[in-house]
């Protein structure tokens, strides 16, 4: 390899490392602040490294707010919504990819047009519906409006359309029912798409703020994002505790993101380059 090529490669890696540090700086700084003494947080110029890590900040957060309950609520809501979206989106995507019926193209276009409707427009009708069903302060109230999504249908349809139609025809000739083909052949072949949709949905629901704030007023039904707000209200400007709470609430989503990032990238690439 020529010296010029090696130099270019070295510069490329340095640029990538610098860009990574810039992107990760907010997370790293939050972790460092969460380990600082209160006197260190308010110093000027601000310190980046705590003189002596103060792990008791996390214990103080756990005593001031029900961290375990908030994490459990978010975990239940995110998991059920993810499972629901995978089921409904896979069924509708299979229908649009494999089944022929009158008005299929128009119905799919209408289905996709709902992706252009901002979520904020539907908040009030959804809230009135949930309230009329007496589902405020409940898991169904947090979950039901998000069990189906046009984006999931679009994403999985792209994966189903890669499966040859001849494969389904051969299976049907051998006596395989349409649902059996969907469950035993189509779903396993579309596994990357299912994992992509699952990772995207879980992270989106985990980070929800407005909807859980609207439909819950019982403190034990709040989710992690609302819990962070409660921490700010109760602890005022004690940033070391606030950042300790943010790190605690962020950990599950961060682990899930690290696990599912390759599926997210793969799914986005598939959706962007395949018709």
């Amino acid at each position: 390899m020529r010296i010029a090529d090696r130099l270019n490669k070295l510069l490329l890696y340095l640029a990538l490392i610098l860009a990574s540090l810039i992107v990760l700086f907010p997370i790293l700084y939050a972790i460092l602040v969460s380990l600082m003494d209160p006197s260190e947080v308010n110093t000027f110029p601000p310190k980046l490294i705590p003189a002596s890590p103060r792990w008791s900040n996390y214990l103080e957060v756990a005593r001031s707010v029900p961290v375990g309950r908030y994490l459990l609520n978010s975990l239940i809501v995110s998991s059920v919504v993810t499972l629901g979206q995978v089921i409904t989106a896979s069924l509708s995507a299979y229908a649009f990819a494999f089944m022929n019926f009158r008005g299929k193209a128009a119905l799919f276009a209408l289905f996709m047009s709902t992706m252009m409707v901002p979520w904020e427009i539907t908040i009030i009708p959804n809230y009135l519906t949930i309230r009329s069903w007496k589902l405020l302060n409940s898991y169904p109230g947090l979950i039901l409006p998000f069990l189906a999504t046009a984006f999931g249908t679009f994403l999985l349809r792209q994966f189903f359309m890669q499966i040859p139609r001849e494969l389904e025809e051969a299976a049907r000739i051998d006596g395989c029912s349409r649902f059996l083909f969907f469950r035993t052949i189509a779903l396993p072949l579309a596994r990357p798409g299912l994992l992509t949709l699952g990772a995207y949905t879980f992270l989106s629901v985990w980070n929800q703020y407005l909807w859980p704030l609207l439909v819950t007023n019982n403190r034990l039904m709040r989710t992690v994002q609302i819990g962070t707000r409660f921490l700010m209200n109760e602890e005022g400007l004690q940033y070391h505790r606030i950042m300790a709470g943010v790190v605690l609430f962020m950990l599950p989503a961060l682990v899930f993101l690290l696990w599912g990032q390759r599926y997210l990238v793969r799914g986005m690439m598939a959706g962007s380059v395949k018709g």
Side-chain angles (χ1 to χ4, degrees):
M1 183 181 292
R2 296 183 305 172
I3 296 179
D5 293 336
R6 291 181 179 179
L7 183 60
N8 290 334
K9 194 172 183 179
L10 177 62
L11 292 175
L12 175 63
Y13 279 119
L14 289 176
L16 291 175
I17 292 173
L18 180 61
S20 301
L21 290 176
I22 293 174
V23 171
L24 292 175
F25 179 75
I27 297 176
L28 297 175
Y29 187 64
I31 295 173
L32 293 173
V33 171
S34 71
L35 296 173
M36 288 184 181
D37 187 83
S39 60
E40 292 181 294
V41 178
N42 298 318
T43 57
F44 186 83
K47 290 185 176 180
L48 290 180
I49 307 296
S52 178
R54 193 166 184 264
W55 298 100
S56 60
N57 291 341
Y58 290 92
L59 293 178
E60 293 176 8
V61 171
R63 293 193 190 101
S64 60
V65 296
V67 174
R69 180 62 189 234
Y70 293 156
L71 288 172
L72 178 65
N73 290 341
S74 287
L75 184 62
I76 292 174
V77 174
S78 301
S79 300
V80 175
V81 170
T82 300
L83 180 63
Q85 285 201 16
V86 167
I87 293 174
T88 57
S90 61
L91 287 170
S92 58
Y94 178 83
F96 282 121
F98 282 95
M99 299 176 67
N100 294 317
F101 51 88
R102 181 178 297 178
K104 174 181 171 181
L107 182 60
F108 183 71
L110 178 63
F111 207 73
M112 291 300 100
S113 67
T114 61
M115 293 174 64
M116 293 184 288
V117 178
W119 156 247
E120 289 77 9
I121 293 178
T122 64
I123 284 183
I124 299 303
N126 281 333
Y127 174 78
L128 295 176
T129 302
I130 292 298
R131 190 183 64 175
S132 66
W133 290 352
K134 303 185 185 307
L135 293 178
L136 297 178
N137 292 310
S138 68
Y139 289 125
L142 290 166
I143 292 170
L144 282 178
F146 305 98
L147 287 180
T149 170
F151 168 75
T153 302
F154 171 75
L155 179 65
L156 294 183
R157 177 178 172 270
Q158 302 302 104
F159 283 89
F160 284 142
M161 290 185 69
Q162 300 175 45
I163 302 174
R165 297 294 299 267
E166 292 77 10
L167 186 62
E168 187 202 24
E169 293 172 1
R172 297 293 298 276
I173 292 174
D174 287 342
C176 180
S177 67
R178 177 158 277 162
F179 182 74
L180 187 60
F181 175 81
F182 164 74
R183 184 171 61 84
T184 59
I185 299 177
L187 280 184
L189 291 176
R191 186 183 175 194
L194 298 173
L195 294 174
T196 300
L197 178 62
Y200 176 80
T201 304
F202 186 91
L203 294 174
S204 299
V205 177
W206 185 274
N207 290 322
Q208 279 183 347
Y209 180 80
L210 186 54
W211 182 252
L213 181 65
L214 280 175
V215 299
T216 61
N217 52 37
N218 185 329
R219 186 170 180 174
L220 294 180
M221 284 303 300
R222 300 292 195 179
T223 55
V224 291
Q225 302 301 330
I226 312 300
T228 305
R229 180 62 183 170
F230 276 150
L231 194 63
M232 294 173 65
N233 290 337
E234 294 185 1
E235 305 301 336
L237 297 178
Q238 298 185 35
Y239 291 112
H240 62 294
R241 292 187 184 179
I242 295 173
M243 288 303 169
V246 169
V247 172
L248 282 176
F249 294 146
M250 178 180 62
L251 278 179
L254 190 60
V255 172
F256 197 83
L257 175 63
L258 292 175
W259 171 80
Q261 61 177 341
R262 66 179 184 276
Y263 300 112
L264 278 172
V265 174
R266 191 182 304 170
M268 295 304 171
M269 289 296 296
S272 62
V273 300
K274 294 176 181 175

